[in-house]
Amino acid sequence: MEDLAREDVEQKTGATGAHPGNAPLAPVSAPVVVDAAGLLAADFPPRERLLSPWLLSQSLSMLYAPRGVGKTHVALGVAYALASGGAFLGWRAVKPVPVLYVDGEMPGADLRDRLRRIAESADRQAGPGSLLFMTPDLQPDGIMPNLFTYAGQDEVTAAAPESGVIIVDNISALVRGGKENEGESWQPVAEWALRMRSSGRSVLFLHHSGKGGQQRGTSKREDLLDTVIALRRPSDYTPDQGARFEIHFEKARALYGEDVTPVEAMLEAGKDGRQSWTLRAVSDASEAQMIELAGLGLSAREIGTELGVNHSTVVRGLKKAEKEGRYTPKPRNKGGRPKLSVVKGGKSDPCAKCDGEGCEWCR
């Protein structure tokens, strides 16, 4: 009896770290092979845009960020926009799509409160049964299915018979087994994701970033993905600002130009209690800093280092600001830096002692 109970716990939690091959799937059919004419004649269902522009039917995606930046805020917003046929962060659902949200670690009360605020602030409401949740506090034993095991994968799949999108929040909590840095340990989950895609579903994985800023663990996770989105803190972020982050598309098949331009998002609450998101281009967010540092004589490369952006971004930003009348470059010396100046009678003039080259008096 104790052995059976231990087997059940190990199967749910992945405590043994064993490969899910311990619980094999049905026998695998022989591979299907077609020639070029057969492929051209194959009747595949057309892929639809579920959340324009980036989330398509039969797509596999990842959203990652450091802890506390706002992954769940974004994932819940995406889920509600899909289920209601609404919009979120400038992304719009073409029509309502059933969603299964698999939450691995958030307290049920917090998840409920966040969803309530989203629903109260939404322009469209999700219909009954269109947005399903699986969360630890609703499970009899508090243990969620383990996507590292076939049994856990089957439990999640069975919970979403009509769902077009499955959101996995997050990999660390719901994939319990193997080694995070080994590509082979991701293989069972990758195979499940491919089965979901083959069945017509899309999967969005949430994950943590590592110390280096990239998604934590093996990069093999990204091989099958259509889209990889990273959330990052702005360089001038302060804790009192709450949910404020930059959205960067690191991988996006068939997306170009404005669709993948980095933007900054900030969550705000109005006087009526309704929450809303403010969006602006990342380049606009730091333009004032670029202009200020350029006025101090820093080069584009030095400004880029100071702000944590590529120097070419600084060059483009300053040129745009100059063209639109928000920035006027100062005359430059042979050394390349603008002449230092002092203010006299309300006017800014070059220092009389050093002609703007920099001395104790004008510094």
Side-chain angles (χ1 to χ4, degrees):
M1 194 71 174
E2 289 179 358
D3 290 341
L4 289 174
R6 183 168 59 252
E7 262 184 38
D8 183 60
V9 171
E10 288 175 351
Q11 190 180 49
K12 280 192 173 184
T13 63
T16 61
H19 189 280
N22 293 335
L25 295 171
V28 178
S29 302
V32 176
V33 179
V34 297
D35 62 10
L39 180 60
L40 292 172
D43 184 19
F44 297 115
R47 296 186 71 189
E48 303 177 44
R49 291 198 181 276
L50 304 181
L51 193 67
S52 185
W54 64 272
L55 184 57
L56 278 64
S57 59
Q58 292 187 282
S59 65
L60 306 178
S61 306
M62 177 189 288
L63 170 73
Y64 77 89
R67 291 184 182 88
V69 168
K71 292 188 296 294
T72 299
H73 274 302
V74 174
L76 283 173
V78 166
Y80 203 84
L82 285 167
S84 65
F88 177 68
L89 296 183
W91 308 322
R92 180 164 293 279
V94 176
K95 61 182 180 181
V97 179
V99 178
L100 171 65
Y101 195 103
V102 187
D103 169 59
E105 62 183 21
M106 181 172 284
D110 292 349
L111 184 64
R112 178 198 60 204
D113 292 345
R114 286 196 185 187
L115 178 64
R116 178 183 291 126
R117 288 193 291 272
I118 290 173
E120 290 173 349
S121 303
D123 294 330
R124 298 187 181 188
Q125 297 302 303
S130 60
L131 179 52
L132 304 178
F133 286 90
M134 186 185 295
T135 189
D137 286 356
L138 293 178
Q139 310 311 310
D141 53 8
I143 298 176
M144 292 290 290
N146 181 5
L147 287 174
F148 187 71
T149 68
Y150 290 138
Q153 294 171 6
D154 288 345
E155 288 173 342
V156 171
T157 304
E162 304 298 328
S163 295
V165 177
I166 300 174
I167 298 179
V168 177
D169 185 6
N170 55 64
I171 289 173
S172 297
L174 295 168
V175 180
R176 303 185 296 277
K179 296 181 179 179
E180 196 170 52
N181 291 323
E182 291 183 358
E184 288 185 5
S185 295
W186 180 246
Q187 194 60 34
V189 188
E191 291 174 358
W192 171 76
L194 288 173
R195 290 198 300 275
M196 294 301 95
R197 187 176 75 183
S198 179
S199 69
R201 299 179 176 96
S202 296
V203 181
L204 172 60
F205 292 101
L206 271 63
H207 193 32
H208 298 296
S209 60
K211 293 180 180 178
Q214 298 302 305
Q215 63 96 8
R216 196 172 70 194
T218 177
S219 61
K220 190 173 183 179
R221 292 195 187 95
E222 301 181 20
D223 293 348
L224 295 175
L225 303 179
D226 299 286
T227 305
V228 178
I229 301 174
L231 304 185
R232 302 173 189 163
R233 290 286 194 209
S235 58
D236 60 344
Y237 175 81
T238 56
D240 62 296
Q241 294 174 331
R244 178 183 169 225
F245 46 77
E246 295 174 1
I247 303 169
H248 295 261
F249 282 84
E250 294 190 341
K251 181 179 181 180
R253 289 176 178 164
L255 290 180
Y256 310 95
E258 292 185 0
D259 288 341
V260 293
T261 299
V263 297
E264 180 189 296
M266 183 171 181
L267 180 61
E268 299 177 312
K271 294 181 180 179
D272 58 358
R274 289 168 60 93
Q275 63 181 27
S276 62
W277 290 88
T278 301
L279 299 178
R280 63 178 181 178
V282 168
S283 58
D284 292 342
S286 57
E287 182 183 273
Q289 295 170 298
M290 293 180 189
I291 293 173
E292 180 183 0
L293 294 174
L296 295 175
L298 274 68
S299 67
R301 195 170 297 279
E302 290 169 333
I303 294 172
T305 301
E306 181 71 21
L307 299 180
V309 298
N310 192 288
H311 82 280
S312 61
T313 301
V314 178
V315 172
R316 288 195 299 269
L318 290 177
K319 284 185 177 179
K320 180 182 177 183
E322 180 182 1
K323 183 179 179 181
E324 297 175 0
R326 295 186 298 276
Y327 165 65
T328 302
K330 292 184 178 181
R332 304 188 72 84
N333 297 331
K334 294 180 180 179
R337 291 185 179 273
K339 291 189 175 185
L340 299 175
S341 60
V342 294
V343 178
K344 295 181 180 179
K347 295 183 178 180
S348 181
D349 299 316
C351 172
K353 289 191 174 184
C354 65
D355 195 29
E357 295 297 336
C359 67
E360 292 183 2
W361 188 69
C362 71
R363 280 183 186 274

